């Protein structure tokens, strides 16, 4: 018998890589909340698996509270927004096949929701004042999130009592007709 030798060349048709488990809408988190997100990449070309390049793309400055690490065919994000980081952030992600011939890009939208500042006044206890004699008390408060208290105010103070917001000091010289219990409301912001 006779035989024929021939060469058959199979040309590669590049398949675009794709994201797996990419969020369909913005990721939402609160200030002070810690979270993690892993986005994987896939490809219909089996020889590309394990070689896909996942990267952040674009010129967006990445805030300090966003940390990321590249994994095999994936990217891991760790988010830890502080109490001044509310707002929207968009990160551009891109995956590319090992030859750089095909890629996919998507925007990862992140929304950090504001958390109202919680404030606690330092304990004052019961106070005594004498009619006709000036008494003062410095009012101190602290943010439970570690933020600065920017303004103090006082309302519904007894007659003759004043509050100096700059020094956070209550000052009162009770009149001779005020020998009873008096109270007022102190606020902050």
């Amino acid at each position: 018998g006779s035989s024929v030798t021939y060469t058959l060349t199979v040309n590669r048709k590049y398949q675009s890589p794709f994201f797996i488990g990419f969020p369909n809408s913005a990721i939402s988190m609160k200030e002070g909340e810690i979270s993690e997100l892993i986005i994987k990449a896939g490809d219909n070309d089996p020889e590309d698996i394990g070689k896909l390049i996942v990267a952040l793309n674009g010129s967006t400055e990445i805030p300090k509270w966003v940390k990321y690490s590249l994994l095999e065919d994936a990217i891991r994000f760790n988010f830890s927004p502080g109490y001044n980081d509310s707002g929207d952030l968009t990160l551009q992600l891109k995956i590319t096949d090992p030859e750089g011939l095909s890629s996919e890009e998507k925007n990862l939208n992140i929304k950090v929701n504001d958390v109202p500042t919680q404030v606690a006044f330092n304990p004052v206890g019961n106070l005594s004042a004498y009619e006709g004699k000036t008494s003062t008390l410095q009012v101190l408060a602290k943010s439970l999130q570690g933020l600065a208290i920017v303004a103090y105010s006082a309302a519904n103070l007894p007659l003759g009592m004043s509050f100096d917001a700059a020094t956070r000091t209550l000052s009162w010289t009770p009149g001779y007709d005020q020998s009873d219990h008096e109270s007022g409301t102190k606020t902050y912001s």
Side-chain angles (χ1 to χ4, degrees):
S2 71
S3 63
V4 174
T5 303
Y6 63 91
T7 302
L8 175 62
T9 303
V10 177
N11 294 313
R12 181 173 182 190
K13 180 181 177 194
Y14 287 97
Q15 301 289 318
S16 291
F18 50 86
F19 288 102
I20 300 171
F22 201 92
N24 291 331
S25 59
I27 298 170
S28 183
M29 62 189 70
K30 297 176 186 172
E31 292 174 322
E33 183 177 85
I34 296 172
S35 60
E36 178 182 85
L37 173 67
I38 296 176
I39 298 176
K40 296 181 180 180
D43 196 311
N44 289 326
D45 294 324
E47 64 273 11
D48 286 349
I49 300 300
K51 302 175 197 167
L52 297 170
I53 301 162
V54 183
L56 286 173
N57 193 29
S59 60
T60 302
E61 185 175 327
I62 301 169
K64 291 179 181 178
W65 55 268
V66 176
K67 305 288 185 217
Y68 71 95
S69 55
L70 301 177
L71 310 171
E72 183 176 293
D73 294 344
I75 187 168
R76 173 188 292 135
F77 289 98
N78 291 297
F79 304 108
S80 56
Y83 289 99
N84 290 319
D85 292 324
S86 64
D88 297 325
L89 174 67
T90 299
L91 299 175
Q92 262 187 353
L93 274 71
K94 181 177 183 178
I95 51 176
T96 308
D97 67 12
E99 293 83 18
L101 299 174
S102 60
S103 64
E104 181 180 11
E105 294 182 20
K106 282 194 174 189
N107 287 334
L108 176 63
N109 298 308
I110 303 162
K111 178 166 185 58
V112 179
N113 297 305
D114 185 43
V115 173
T117 303
Q118 297 177 341
V119 176
F121 281 97
N122 289 355
V124 175
N126 294 327
L127 302 174
S128 295
Y130 294 95
E131 294 173 331
K133 184 170 188 255
T134 301
S135 297
T136 60
L137 169 71
Q138 188 173 33
V139 179
L140 298 173
K142 64 181 177 182
S143 160
L144 300 180
Q145 289 102 337
L147 302 174
I149 306 295
V150 295
Y152 286 79
S153 65
N156 303 319
L157 298 176
L159 184 64
M161 182 180 280
S162 64
F163 181 69
D164 182 339
T167 63
R168 303 176 312 272
T169 303
L170 284 167
S171 179
W172 189 27
T173 306
Y176 290 100
D177 59 345
Q178 290 180 301
S179 61
D180 202 355
H181 298 302
E182 295 279 357
S183 62
T185 302
K186 282 52 110 191
T187 59
Y188 56 85
S189 61

